[in-house]
Each structure stands twice: as structure tokens, then as C-alpha cells.
Amino acid sequence: TQGVSSAASDVYKRQVASCFNVNVDTVSMLCNVGVLKPIKLGKCYMFSQSMLAKFQQDYEGMDVSNRIKALESKRIIEQEARQ
């Protein structure tokens, strides 16, 4: 996930960005901070429907619009999982 920039990965990121009505850079940021967890297949990173559904469920009502807010939301989710 760190520094993903292949052309094929960009296609998948564009699809996810379109689905969530956000910029591709936002999808990249969410991957880099670990909020979105793509599957690496060769040089390509793909996003499973189940992972996207889990993201929507886990982060419902949270603000992940920038790196700081995404990291804070991730910390909250991880703390809730440990309880």
C-alpha cells in the first residue's frame, strides 16, 4: 500500500474514488494511513467489495477527509476493536 502508483492500481483507485465520490488522492491517502486495505496482486492493488463494505460500516459517521482525521478515526476504530 505504501507509495502505490502503477497504472493498473490507478484504475482501481479511480473506481473506488468514483464509488465514494472523492478524489483519487483521497483514496491513496486512506490506503497509505491504513484505513483502506487493498489486496496486492502482482504489481496491482485491488479493492475487494467486502473490504469496502467493512470500511463503510466501521467508519460510518466518522470524518476521514484528511490524513489527521483519518488517523484519529483509525485509532478510535482500533481501540474499539480491542475492547
Side-chain angles (χ1 to χ4, degrees):
T1 23
Q2 310 295 347
V4 177
S5 64
S6 76
S9 291
D10 289 343
V11 170
Y12 295 112
K13 281 193 248 180
R14 281 196 301 272
Q15 291 171 339
V16 172
S18 176
C19 177
F20 291 130
N21 198 30
V22 298
N23 188 293
V24 174
D25 292 339
T26 302
V27 175
S28 294
M29 178 272 298
L30 293 172
C31 290
N32 287 334
V33 299
V35 170
L36 288 178
K37 297 174 183 169
I39 300 163
K40 185 172 185 200
L41 205 58
K43 293 182 181 181
C44 188
Y45 287 82
M46 300 172 62
F47 300 84
S48 71
Q49 292 295 322
S50 61
M51 184 277 305
L52 295 174
K54 183 168 175 27
F55 162 75
Q56 287 178 298
Q57 181 180 347
D58 289 351
Y59 290 88
E60 183 175 8
M62 297 185 141
D63 185 351
V64 294
S65 59
N66 65 46
R67 183 177 180 82
I68 292 169
K69 291 177 180 181
L71 285 168
E72 177 63 19
S73 295
K74 182 178 182 225
R75 185 186 60 76
I76 291 168
I77 294 297
E78 288 173 346
Q79 280 182 338
E80 289 175 354
R82 283 183 275 222
Q83 294 177 355

